[in-house]
Amino acid sequence: MTAYDAYRTAQFLAAEGRTDTDAVTRTDIDQAADLAGAGRPETATDRHTVLLALGTLAPAAARSQDRGL
């Protein structure tokens, strides 16, 4: 999985309101990768990279939802 794939997967999760990195499951990540057209994470490191990206996107997603965007 490339860093770009991890970012696209995290973007999809954030857009769907799945911003709690502690609650996102392996299945959630796999489905988000499929729907985002990104490669699925193959290793624990890949999944961790998705969660790190999601952690950076989560505050922005929360601000957008607060504004009704």
Side-chain angles (χ1 to χ4, degrees), residues 15-39:
E16 293 297 313
R18 304 298 313 264
T19 57
D20 184 355
T21 58
D22 292 330
V24 173
T25 66
R26 182 180 191 158
T27 302
D28 294 331
I29 293 172
D30 286 346
Q31 288 176 344
D34 290 344
L35 293 170

Side-chain angles (χ1 to χ4, degrees), residues 26-68:
R26 182 180 191 158
T27 302
D28 294 331
I29 293 172
D30 286 346
Q31 288 176 344
D34 290 344
L35 293 170
R40 278 188 175 196
E42 296 178 12
T43 66
T45 301
D46 290 343
R47 286 184 292 283
H48 184 70
T49 303
V50 171
L51 293 176
L52 286 173
L54 181 59
T56 63
L57 293 172
R63 284 192 305 272
S64 293
Q65 287 175 354
D66 288 344
R67 290 187 219 137

